[in-house]
Amino acid sequence: MSKLPGTKLSRRQLLQLGVTATAATLIAGGTEFVLPPEAHALGDPLPSWNDGPAKKAILDFIHVTTDKSSPKFVPPEQRIATFDQDGTLWVEHPMYSQVVYCFDRVPAVVKAKPQLANVEPFKTVLTGNREAIAKLPMDGLMKILVVTLTGMSVDAFEAQANDWLGAARDPRWKKLYTELTYQPMLEVLKHMRSSGYKTYIVTGGGQDFVRMYAERVYGIPPEQVVGTAAGTSFGYDKSGKPFLTKDPKLLLNDNNAGKPEGIHLMIGRQPFVAFGNSTGDRQMLDYTKAGSGERLAMLVLHDDAQREYAYGPAQGLPDTRVGTFTQALYNEAESKGWIVISIKSDWKRIFAFES
Amino acid sequence: MSKLPGTKLSRRQLLQLGVTATAATLIAGGTEFVLPPEAHALGDPLPSWNDGPAKKAILDFIHVTTDKSSPKFVPPEQRIATFDQDGTLWVEHPMYSQVVYCFDRVPAVVKAKPQLANVEPFKTVLTGNREAIAKLPMDGLMKILVVTLTGMSVDAFEAQANDWLGAARDPRWKKLYTELTYQPMLEVLKHMRSSGYKTYIVTGGGQDFVRMYAERVYGIPPEQVVGTAAGTSFGYDKSGKPFLTKDPKLLLNDNNAGKPEGIHLMIGRQPFVAFGNSTGDRQMLDYTKAGSGERLAMLVLHDDAQREYAYGPAQGLPDTRVGTFTQALYNEAESKGWIVISIKSDWKRIFAFES
């Protein structure tokens, strides 16, 4: 980066770069401040989006809430944006990645507790028969979640999850699951942050699981991941070293009404922005829109069978275990001013690994 | 702020001013960047501290963990500092402020539910007899917390707490409770933040209560307040407007082992810094010190009867309901390298309102 002629930055532009208010005043007030020309290669902050109402809604919202002269200006400390994960930030079909993780952990669990081998649902999971596994009843699924996600130390869980995240590949694209994130949404996250919004994940997925990769993959630090959370117990090992054990005690079921409840517990402010993709996000969107001033609520519709997946009753397609987008939700979006994102028509490309 | 000659800022200095990594690279790389001379009036970041081992420990810790050439350098995103509140950031004697709040709310609660007037513990509280109130058993106290802190909407609670915080005064200094914050600790919070540390309150007090004033008083936003937390229930009123109700269901008892458990739940990273003042902070300090690299653990000792209060068995004084600093805790601090802050000798002044 050389000393080519650049552009002076105003205090507001500095704030948008993430400079604190005090620093921005000092910087903008005291110097001929120059941004090098490279920085202007920014251009369109949402290059993977086609022009259309969805892209326009995002850009307009950011403009009116960050422009100090706008009546809809939102002070930086109040700029909270919440994002569902499965089906909103990454692929959820045909099965939530974390559920795949739990199934993949079953052999190791059974090896440690051989008496489980002939007990359902473990017996079915060990067959590897995908169709039979997909039909397991909900209480069977819960048993698998409990034995694969709790009963070990936080450190042991993190090591196990980390190994899987670095190795397991999805059956369709043969990519690491963390590569199945939506490029258009990564651009939204980045643009929100560069506009002073604090981005949060608010997911039905396990909080500890998502925190393993959220910073690296989404740029979202662990403390900004709100998810379904179980309790832990603090204790000391024989050498006196403290550790936390993951308990099978549900503290927060971060779905449906649990989403605004989780936002209150973990953030304590009503969001200005919420993105989701299913009926499980309805309450979060309602809670977001109920705040005063300009608020943005958006829903991703999976309508692209060729490039990703198409599913959900809103399109006359069969309901699946994941991400239910009902006709009622679609109607609700229209009546409440939630904006529907069509993957097929709004997203120019879906994954970073495409061309 | 005029164009007087100033000082060039390095990328690291920009980072310390809160500039994001990307912006700092752009700024430091592309321009003759100048900070105006006014900014250097900073001088001693801890002016209310006497020179001594406590002040030195804080300054040394910040120096070695933020200097990129230091082997103990901590990357900015990992810089988490946690602070107990009662007795660490503000006065807790003779009674926790939030408990005073709950007692003060009792008449309004009894007015709405007159049948409580002749039932203990409400009957005793209504007498206003401070000595009798101080002797209420723990289960009586719990009943008072439940009826004054739950069963109303979050909005109603916030309005009630806000009214009280703006009007109630402590019996000794006749100040608002939010004025009874320790000036030396406000300086530590500020210096930590300007050194890239994210400051959190981790308190046994009610999370919703502390969040009412933490941003204004400590510069700590609601999402960085971890406290004892009850659940909420999301619902809709008759007009369809969503709201949250505070439930009498304890999710997190943020004392003792609950502090590291709460840190894991709400932050998800092991802190590098922990300040406390009682046995209830022991596990948080252990958890903090158990991490690798340089960690700072400190305990405030209330040993200044004249300017504040002196209490706790570590000084051969009677144990009280608040902030127990036992002899065992004192010994533990010595053996584990936790640094004890003596209010009497380490703090030059205690409150901002002292000239």
Side-chain angles (χ1 to χ4, degrees), chain A residues 3 17-18 20 27 32-33 198 207-208 211 215 222-223 232 234 236 261 264-266 269 286, chain B residues 3 17-18 20 27 32-33 198 207-208 211 215 222-223 232 234 236 261 264-267 269 286:
Chain A
K3 301 285 169 68
L17 281 166
T20 62
I27 292 168
E32 290 291 318
F33 183 75
K198 215 164 170 176
Q207 185 168 280
D208 285 350
R211 281 175 171 175
E215 187 151 39
E223 61 268 27
T232 56
F234 178 82
Y236 298 86
E261 291 161 8
H264 178 71
L265 176 67
M266 308 278 292
R269 301 188 196 257
D286 270 334
Chain B
K3 300 284 167 68
L17 281 165
T20 62
I27 292 168
E32 290 291 318
F33 184 75
K198 216 164 166 175
Q207 185 167 280
D208 285 351
R211 281 175 171 174
E215 188 152 37
E223 59 269 28
T232 56
F234 178 83
Y236 298 87
E261 291 161 8
H264 178 71
L265 176 67
M266 307 279 292
I267 309 175
R269 302 187 197 257
D286 270 333

Side-chain angles (χ1 to χ4, degrees), chain A residues 167 172 175 237 308:
Chain A
R172 176 167 165 186
K175 296 282 178 189
D237 69 14
E308 200 236 5

Side-chain angles (χ1 to χ4, degrees), chain A residues 250-269:
Chain A
L250 189 66
L251 288 186
L252 174 66
N253 178 357
D254 201 37
N255 286 296
N256 305 302
K259 292 210 172 194
E261 291 161 8
I263 289 169
H264 178 71
L265 176 67
M266 308 278 292
I267 310 175
R269 301 188 196 257

Side-chain angles (χ1 to χ4, degrees), chain B residues 17 23 48 58 62 67 79 95 116 127 129 146 167 195 199 202 204-205 215 221 241 278-279 318 322 324 346 352 355:
Chain B
L17 281 165
S48 299
I58 298 166
I62 289 182
D67 178 353
R79 293 183 198 159
M95 202 180 270
L116 295 178
T127 65
N129 180 335
V146 167
S195 305
T199 54
V202 178
E215 188 152 37
K241 190 176 151 41
S278 81
T279 52
V322 298
T324 301
D346 285 317
S355 70

Side-chain angles (χ1 to χ4, degrees), chain A residues 108-117 147 150:
Chain A
V109 169
V110 172
K111 200 176 169 190
K113 294 180 187 171
Q115 68 275 24
L116 295 178
V147 301
T150 69

